[in-house]
Amino acid sequence: MEDQELNLVDHLDELRNRLIISAVAFIIFFGIGFFYVKEIYNFFVRDLDVKLIVLGPSDIVWIYFMLATIIAIAGTIPVLATQIWLFVKPALRPIERKISLSYIPALFILFIVGLAFGYFVIFPTVLNFLVELSGDMLVTNFTAEKYFKFIMNMTLPFGVLFELPVVVMFLTSLGVINPYVLVKVRKYAYFILIVISVIISPPDFMSDILVTIPLLVLYEISVNLSKFVYRRKLKKEKEWQEQYGDMEEENDEESSL
């Protein structure tokens, strides 16, 4: 009992250290983003025909923090994924360690791809639609806060949701889920993704459709990737059993004697 308690304390201590490392990485990347915030700001407003306005000094500070936070999240993802992998590594077999390690760069790449998809595809489409909707009835002015909030709502959720295929592949390789479960819960997953789409998109039907379709496609890609990983996992386990199964049985017999 005491050994189990000590083991639990060791695991919690290691988890705390992993979280501290991730938090330090977040702070470092936040500082980098804060230092280059003007360059980041100029990138996002380069195609605007009007100057953004602010309604108070606090809005300026908010913009600095928001842009720096996005950079910090993007930079911290591979660090956090590595720390999670190091934490669960002792419980994995050599094959699982090798496979799961390959997912770490994929997490970062897909997050960037998701941000790019949201910014270069979804954001301009929705923005142009909403601006043209006003026609000549209204004078269009953007506050910096609302403009960057709109960008964040159109990009950050896609950065997170584009991680879905890698997360599904990782959990499949660990045996936590399998493609049959994903197929079985497909209609519930569709419902949840549609709800998420409605929440993160502007309140118009066109925007809901533009956001919903990519998420449903992502889920189907995840299901097919899960099938691929599951078949490979079964094949590797069979090879492992054929190669080391007899050796493990002999060791068990010797230990029982």
Side-chain angles (χ1 to χ4, degrees), residues 79-98:
V79 178
L80 179 61
T82 302
Q83 295 306 311
I84 293 173
W85 181 81
L86 290 172
F87 180 72
V88 301
K89 178 183 174 182
L92 303 177
R93 292 186 299 178
I95 295 176
E96 293 172 336
R97 292 177 186 176
K98 184 178 179 180

Side-chain angles (χ1 to χ4, degrees), residues 72-168:
I73 292 173
T76 306
I77 282 179
V79 178
L80 179 61
T82 302
Q83 295 306 311
I84 293 173
W85 181 81
L86 290 172
F87 180 72
V88 301
K89 178 183 174 182
L92 303 177
R93 292 186 299 178
I95 295 176
E96 293 172 336
R97 292 177 186 176
K98 184 178 179 180
I99 294 174
S100 58
L101 183 61
S102 64
Y103 295 142
I104 294 176
L107 281 171
F108 177 72
I109 292 171
L110 281 179
F111 182 78
I112 299 301
V113 170
L115 290 180
F117 176 79
Y119 181 71
F120 291 107
V121 179
I122 301 297
F123 167 70
T125 304
V126 175
L127 180 64
N128 291 334
F129 172 78
L130 294 176
V131 170
E132 290 174 4
L133 195 63
S134 65
D136 298 328
M137 295 186 300
L138 304 169
V139 176
T140 304
N141 284 319
F142 300 114
T143 65
E145 179 185 1
K146 289 188 178 295
Y147 179 75
F148 282 107
K149 272 187 177 179
F150 186 74
I151 289 179
M152 189 168 63
N153 290 337
M154 289 290 98
T155 56
L156 200 56
F158 282 100
V160 175
L161 291 169
F162 264 57
E163 309 279 25
L164 182 62
V166 178
V167 172
V168 168

